[in-house]
Amino acid sequence: MRRAVLLTALAVALTACAPSVPGSSGSSGSPGAQAPASADRLTIGTTADVVNYNPLVGNSRTDSWVTDLMYPKLTQMDATGKRIPYLATEWSYSEDGRTATAKLRDDMKWSDGKPVTASDVVFSVTAVQKEKFGVVAGLITALDEAEAVSPTEVRFKLSRPDGTFLDNVGFWLPVVPEHVFSKVPSVQKFANDKDWVSAGPFKLTKVERGQRYIMDRVDDFGPGKPTVKQVVFRVFPDVNTEVLALRNGEIDMIGNVLPPATATELKSDAAVKLQEIPSLGWAHLQYNTKRKPLDDVRVRQALAHAVDYEAIRNIALKGFAKSSNSSVLTPSLPQWTDQASKEYAFDPEQSKKLLAEAGQTNLRLGMIYDQADPNIARWAPMVRDAAKKAGITIELQGLERNTYLDKTTKRDFDIYAGSWAVMDNPPANLGLAFKSGGFINYAQVEDPKLDDLIDQAQRALTQEEAKPPIQEAARMIHDQVYDNVLYVETFNVAHSAKWTGFQPMPSELLSILNPLSLAAAKPAG
């Protein structure tokens, strides 16, 4: 990651080399020379090209930002993480929880004129189920069969009651056109890199790899005609160059979330507006419960008391982070939060006492982290230094990302430092992360009582039913230190003060780049 501030000469040189969008102010003028914002074009900076145009397998932020504007999902999300209608107008479960139904709007069309129907939804979810790929496959394990009851109604038959199913399939599954994707031997391997047939508020019309992606407004978009005529994603080498382009008026928004230091600098710039976006994930430390002495809860609790959480949030994150009270039910999802949860106090003496009770002296452990993650690279030494005060030696192991991921997947670590990007549905997410054999159960937790509580929450068909067992599960995770939650980051997204109307949603993937937000964006004044 580059430093927060580049040398002026280098920044100017990089901007001069960056492509200019026709009609933009270019890189020559001062902010005072900028033209007023126009509904003709909204230009967004990104630091990566589209890797995959197939929305079912896309794997980069830019992939998601572009394809989310092209392929509808059943639901969107409001500022609190609650599901709201999009392609689906309503959804429900049968009384026994073995059938889920979604009713669709009837005014959405693919760009070739064909209607978006229940058959497209059935095809999309069935393709993922059969080929078993992407995050959706791990979230729809209860699905037996999907069928189109009518052009505007989908019925999902489930092998067991699963109150997480509609939330999961609604939010995570992009709907693709059956009449296009069904012609290929493998949906997973379909590149979908030309002649796009889409059904979003904008359609992709031109690609200049390494430079820009141009998307034009869909005038007859069912949920409502977007205000802006064209959205352009411009590719920059780094966030610092994006910041200079925003200040120069070359772009209207930075898609990437800002590093905390950069956000602090931009706060005083009247030409720039910052939107604060709560994360749907959290930063954490996990202890490998299958390695001695980390199999002893007293050792894990000692480690939890050896972290200076407030210092990490205030110094490493510049205050752009909130406490989660050491709970996996974060303040970003207030409808699930357990107000009774309390953060582990930074108390080296308590750590020493717990280690003595566990018969541990001169405890030495390794901690792996992704050295390219700027936030974790800042606070990893703080974790090490705070632990020293409790007599614990932590050896930092900053790794290249692929090596880090390989060790994580193999559970080859003492302490894992990382973060979850999106944990939007506690009953589903805690199953993946903490149930025995869970796909992302990196701490290798095996706790039958915890498994049972998560199962109860997943079987519940309403949030009211799911909340008691999932809160009890979260208390167990807290007390047993199956996860040590450090903070929930507050992301900052920057855009020109000349624009307004954005609809923020939680998570850096949605932020103000979600379809509803970009369709509503308009020049201020």
Side-chain angles (χ1 to χ4, degrees), residues 1 4 45 47 61 65 238-244 246-247 251 253-267 269 272-277 316-318 320 374-375 378 489-495 508 511:
M1 177 59 64
T47 55
R61 289 180 179 85
W65 294 335
D238 53 44
V239 173
N240 303 293
T241 319
E242 288 178 309
V243 169
L244 189 61
L246 179 64
R247 284 177 153 168
I251 62 175
M253 181 197 304
I254 296 174
N256 317 81
V257 298
L258 301 175
T262 305
T264 301
E265 293 169 14
L266 286 177
K267 269 190 169 183
D269 191 333
V272 174
K273 183 173 178 58
L274 297 182
Q275 292 266 10
E276 291 193 351
I277 308 294
L317 275 295
K318 304 293 185 184
F320 293 118
N375 288 342
R378 289 189 191 96
E489 186 170 357
T490 300
F491 297 122
N492 281 277
V493 180
H495 66 83
E508 60 180 318
S511 66

Side-chain angles (χ1 to χ4, degrees), residues 229-240:
K229 292 181 180 179
Q230 190 177 79
V231 169
V232 178
F233 288 89
R234 277 188 58 188
V235 183
F236 289 86
D238 53 44
V239 173
N240 303 293

Side-chain angles (χ1 to χ4, degrees), residues 54 56-57 123 127 131 133 181-182 184-190:
N54 184 334
L56 295 171
V57 295
F123 171 81
E131 296 189 38
F133 65 93
F181 279 61
S182 63
V184 300
S186 168
V187 171
Q188 181 181 5
K189 296 178 181 178
F190 181 38

Side-chain angles (χ1 to χ4, degrees), residues 146-178:
E147 62 176 336
V149 179
S150 74
T152 58
E153 184 172 341
V154 185
R155 181 179 297 153
F156 304 97
K157 296 180 180 179
L158 308 180
S159 61
R160 63 180 185 276
D162 183 357
T164 72
F165 178 83
L166 283 170
D167 265 11
N168 290 336
V169 77
F171 177 68
W172 287 101
L173 178 74
V175 178
V176 298
E178 179 184 16

Side-chain angles (χ1 to χ4, degrees), residues 66-133:
V66 170
T67 59
D68 278 358
L69 297 179
M70 300 167 64
Y71 300 96
K73 295 178 180 177
L74 292 176
T75 62
Q76 288 289 330
M77 186 181 289
D78 69 11
T80 69
K82 181 182 177 181
R83 304 299 193 268
I84 57 177
Y86 193 50
L87 175 57
T89 58
E90 56 183 281
W91 48 92
S92 62
Y93 292 98
S94 61
E95 189 173 343
D96 65 1
R98 299 288 292 270
T99 302
T101 302
K103 295 184 179 180
L104 314 181
R105 58 189 310 140
D106 62 3
D107 57 356
M108 291 186 70
K109 298 178 181 178
W110 296 109
S111 53
D112 60 4
K114 296 182 183 296
V116 180
T117 71
S119 293
D120 295 308
V121 178
V122 170
F123 171 81
S124 302
V125 73
T126 302
V128 171
Q129 180 190 41
K130 286 183 176 179
E131 296 189 38
K132 293 182 172 60
F133 65 93

Side-chain angles (χ1 to χ4, degrees), residues 353-407:
K353 179 181 177 182
L354 287 163
L355 290 175
E357 291 176 3
Q360 294 297 319
T361 57
N362 300 318
L363 183 61
R364 302 179 67 90
L365 300 166
M367 185 174 88
I368 66 169
Y369 66 95
D370 178 1
Q371 63 187 4
D373 186 307
N375 288 342
I376 298 179
R378 289 189 191 96
W379 56 252
M382 298 176 69
V383 172
R384 176 197 61 199
D385 295 345
K388 286 180 182 177
K389 298 178 181 179
I392 301 169
T393 300
I394 294 179
E395 177 188 350
L396 299 184
Q397 299 170 11
L399 305 171
E400 179 272 331
R401 181 161 180 78
N402 287 334
T403 303
Y404 166 75
L405 293 175
D406 183 62
K407 281 186 170 289

